[in-house]
Amino acid sequence: MTIYADENFYASEYLAGKKAVITAAYTYYFREASRIIDVYTFGNVSAEDVPDEVRMCCCELAEQICAYDAEQEDSNGKSAESVQGWSVTYASAAEKKAQLDSRQRDIICKWLSGTGLLYSGVR
């Protein structure tokens, strides 16, 4: 399996001065993001010539996965909380997973639509 981005690309190209979301376990997050890209592109990304759009997409997906993991650890299932009226709203694991999947599709479309990589037909 090809991993489409690395810590070097993430820090120098993707972040462009922005604060890093991923501070540890880079390989894990970039591998997971690359796996998601492979699912959506049907393996259309050439390992020898990875376009910058794919690398950028990989970085944004990796950040999304990292943020999701951190949220899962911190929230204990809470989706909203109010202090004065003391109101707590909980979201199911399925709802949170559906939100993550939706965000991932949005990221894939943002970076890869128009590249031809999302085409599932015969070439």
Side-chain angles (χ1 to χ4, degrees), residues 38-91:
D38 284 343
V39 168
Y40 279 93
T41 62
F42 308 98
N44 288 332
V45 180
S46 168
E48 293 82 37
D49 185 29
V50 179
D52 280 345
E53 293 89 353
V54 173
R55 293 179 192 274
M56 295 292 219
C57 182
C58 184
C59 291
E60 190 167 347
L61 283 170
E63 281 191 341
Q64 186 65 46
I65 296 165
C66 181
Y68 176 79
D69 286 352
E71 180 183 308
Q72 291 300 99
E73 289 176 10
D74 294 341
S75 72
N76 295 325
K78 292 180 188 174
S79 65
E81 185 171 4
S82 175
V83 176
Q84 292 293 1
W86 194 76
S87 170
V88 178
T89 305
Y90 291 91

Side-chain angles (χ1 to χ4, degrees), residues 72-117:
Q72 291 300 99
E73 289 176 10
D74 294 341
S75 72
N76 295 325
K78 292 180 188 174
S79 65
E81 185 171 4
S82 175
V83 176
Q84 292 293 1
W86 194 76
S87 170
V88 178
T89 305
Y90 291 91
S92 72
E95 289 172 330
K96 288 190 174 201
K97 179 68 170 122
Q99 289 173 348
L100 175 66
D101 290 345
S102 175
R103 285 186 227 141
Q104 289 174 346
R105 275 190 302 276
D106 291 345
I107 292 168
I108 292 283
C109 288
K110 171 184 167 182
W111 288 105
L112 302 182
S113 63
T115 64
L117 294 171

